[in-house]
Amino acid sequence: MPSRQPTRPRKSPISARLAAPIVAEAPATPDPVGAEAVSEIFARLSAANPEPRAELEFQNPFTLLVAVVLSAQATDRSVNLATAPLFAVADTPAAMLALGEERVRDFIRTIGLFNTKAKNVIALSRILVEEHGGEVPRTREALEVLPGVGTKTASVVRNVAFGEEAIAVDTHIFRVSNRIPLVVAPTTDKVQAGLEALVPAPYRLNAHHWLILFGRYICKARKPECYRCPIADLCRFPAKTPAP
């Protein structure tokens, strides 16, 4: 009788498929646009909206500061709805302190994270009264030590309230900057530093407003409206959205 050959183990089709390395091809990030394109981009944004304005409603530097603190992870519309009655009764740090945390919380209950934000509003009001004579300081360093105030909030206050050439970077500006791209960077602080060095002087004061409004209404996160974008021919974003 012939000897039986040993049976060789059969390879699983799955393991055979997995034997080859899996390689995902990521799209390359385009290089930032050049200096001439940057100037043209801001010239067009300026022409489309010569006098841009913040969409948060405020009466003075203090109410602007409070509004920006409240706007974290919230829409400007929701903040405006809450702050209209709040600022009617408390538009200074002293008046806000007199109102107290519980009543502030009641005014802003419709805004996300209202408990923490109410604590921060009262705490920063106390510091303004006790250390700054009830005035909002102008420097980034003094603003950023206030409760609830980070780089973005400080930059908004410096720009909008005091006319400083600061470019506050929120999610809209971060996306737009990396998408066009103007500045390619992994953090908002690095994008801000890059933009403040890059944007031509005539446009630096209003650059913050133009980029936010552009990102909010045209260069949207999920589906940018490239077909009506005033800078589509200058933008290097490869996945432009076609007209509907």
Side-chain angles (χ1 to χ4, degrees):
M1 177 180 294
S3 60
R4 179 178 296 176
Q5 294 296 323
T7 304
R8 293 183 179 180
R10 298 179 63 185
K11 289 184 179 181
S12 161
I14 296 179
S15 62
R17 285 198 300 270
L18 293 180
I22 299 173
V23 178
E25 186 175 342
T29 302
D31 292 332
V33 299
E36 288 186 11
V38 171
S39 294
E40 180 63 20
I41 285 169
F42 283 98
R44 293 185 193 180
L45 295 178
S46 172
N49 187 3
E51 296 184 1
R53 292 288 180 267
E55 293 191 325
L56 284 173
E57 296 172 359
F58 63 96
Q59 289 80 47
N60 53 45
F62 172 70
T63 54
L64 172 65
L65 173 63
V66 171
V68 181
V69 167
L70 296 180
S71 71
Q73 300 182 44
T75 65
D76 287 359
R77 181 177 182 276
S78 68
V79 173
N80 290 339
L81 289 173
T83 55
L86 172 62
F87 293 158
V89 296
D91 61 355
T92 67
M96 196 69 73
L97 269 180
L99 198 61
E101 183 180 324
E102 184 175 349
R103 289 201 62 198
V104 170
R105 187 166 55 246
D106 289 340
F107 277 105
I108 66 170
R109 191 172 293 276
T110 55
I111 301 175
L113 306 174
F114 63 88
N115 283 313
T116 299
K117 290 176 179 179
K119 291 180 184 295
N120 286 338
V121 167
I122 290 300
L124 71 83
S125 297
R126 180 172 290 108
I127 292 173
L128 294 180
V129 168
E130 295 177 353
E131 300 182 16
H132 298 281
E135 300 293 327
V136 175
R138 299 176 66 107
T139 68
R140 175 174 175 170
E141 294 77 15
L143 285 165
E144 288 187 6
V145 299
L146 298 173
V149 177
T151 301
K152 188 202 83 169
T153 299
S155 296
V156 172
V157 172
R158 290 170 55 225
N159 177 258
V160 177
F162 302 124
E164 302 277 347
E165 293 181 347
I167 301 177
V169 177
D170 68 347
T171 56
H172 296 296
I173 295 182
F174 183 78
R175 176 180 70 255
V176 165
S177 178
N178 278 280
R179 182 181 275 174
I180 291 174
L182 296 170
V183 175
V184 176
T187 66
T188 55
D189 286 354
K190 289 183 178 180
V191 168
Q192 177 171 344
L195 288 174
E196 289 178 350
L198 178 76
V199 175
Y203 305 113
R204 212 168 291 148
L205 180 63
N206 289 322
H208 162 79
H209 297 297
W210 286 321
L211 292 176
I212 277 188
L213 296 173
F214 178 67
R216 186 173 289 168
Y217 298 112
I218 295 178
C219 197
K220 301 175 182 178
R222 293 186 180 180
K223 195 173 182 181
E225 297 182 3
C226 304
Y227 48 88
R228 68 181 191 92
C229 172
I231 61 167
D233 59 313
L234 301 172
C235 172
R236 295 178 176 177
F237 180 57
K240 289 187 171 65
T241 307

